[in-house]
């Protein structure tokens, strides 16, 4: 017998990746971050999937790149639906970026909303004071 989803799980699973990405962008910007996001260009002729135009080695590059101009922090975010899985290319990019000293990489889902302040908020009293 399948496991019954809680009301919270049903709500989280109903949130699209696009809606979740808008939430993450708005939260980051409200905390002083500058955010770069790629935009899906439209639908393919077959299958109705969205297409993002990429060049060079960009396949799998994270959805968001964010920098805080005062705290001098750099973050890459891959947004997923609550049940979404990272592709092998996305996992590769996150692995490469994670090895760069001083940068932060996250895969975020709607269920991670309570962690946004920990990611995009000040990390220390000094950072908090610098943002005033």
């Amino acid at each position: 017998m399948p496991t019954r989803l809680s009301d919270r799980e049903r709500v989280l699973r109903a949130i699209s990746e696009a809606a979740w990405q808008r939430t993450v962008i708005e939260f980051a910007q409200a905390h002083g971050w500058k955010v770069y996001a790629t935009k899906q260009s439209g639908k393919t002729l077959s299958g109705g999937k969205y297409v993002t135009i990429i060049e060079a080695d960009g396949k799998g590059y994270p959805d968001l790149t964010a920098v805080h101009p005062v705290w001098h922090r750099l973050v890459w975010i891959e947004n997923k639906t609550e049940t979404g899985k990272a592709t092998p290319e996305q996992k590769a990019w996150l692995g490469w970026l994670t090895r760069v000293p001083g940068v932060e990489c996250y895969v975020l889902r709607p269920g991670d909303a309570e962690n946004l302040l920990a990611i995009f908020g000040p990390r220390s009293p000094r950072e908090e004071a610098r943002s005033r």
Side-chain angles (χ1 to χ4, degrees), residues 78-96:
E78 179 59 42
N79 290 301
K80 291 290 171 198
T81 63
E82 195 61 25
T83 59
K85 306 272 190 242
T87 65
E89 294 88 358
Q90 290 168 333
K91 289 177 183 177
W93 267 105
L94 292 169
W96 298 325

Side-chain angles (χ1 to χ4, degrees), residues 8 63 82 97 99 112 117:
R8 181 178 191 276
D63 296 317
E82 195 61 25
L97 293 168
R99 291 194 233 12
D112 297 320
L117 185 58

Side-chain angles (χ1 to χ4, degrees), residues 8 12 20 23-24 27 82 108-121:
R8 181 178 191 276
L12 292 174
W20 173 238
T23 298
V24 173
F27 191 93
E82 195 61 25
L108 295 179
R109 294 175 169 75
D112 297 320
E114 61 195 30
N115 299 321
L116 291 179
L117 185 58
I119 294 167
F120 293 112

Side-chain angles (χ1 to χ4, degrees), residues 19-32:
W20 173 238
Q21 180 158 303
R22 280 191 303 276
T23 298
V24 173
I25 290 170
E26 290 170 6
F27 191 93
Q29 289 175 329
H31 287 82

Side-chain angles (χ1 to χ4, degrees), residues 12 23 30 41 45-46 52 56 59 67 73-74 81 83 90-91 100 106 113 120 122 125 131:
L12 292 174
T23 298
S41 62
L45 297 177
S46 63
T52 302
K59 187 173 182 183
V67 63
R73 286 176 47 209
L74 181 60
T81 63
T83 59
Q90 290 168 333
K91 289 177 183 177
V100 176
Y106 303 95
F120 293 112
S131 64

Side-chain angles (χ1 to χ4, degrees), residues 30-76:
H31 287 82
W33 291 77
K34 300 299 179 190
V35 181
Y36 169 82
T38 57
K39 186 163 179 74
Q40 295 172 330
S41 62
K43 292 189 177 186
T44 62
L45 297 177
S46 63
K49 291 194 171 212
Y50 285 100
V51 175
T52 302
I53 297 172
I54 54 174
E55 289 188 320
D57 297 315
K59 187 173 182 183
Y61 190 82
D63 296 317
L64 304 177
T65 304
V67 63
H68 198 287
V70 176
W71 302 335
H72 307 125
R73 286 176 47 209
L74 181 60
V75 174
W76 277 278

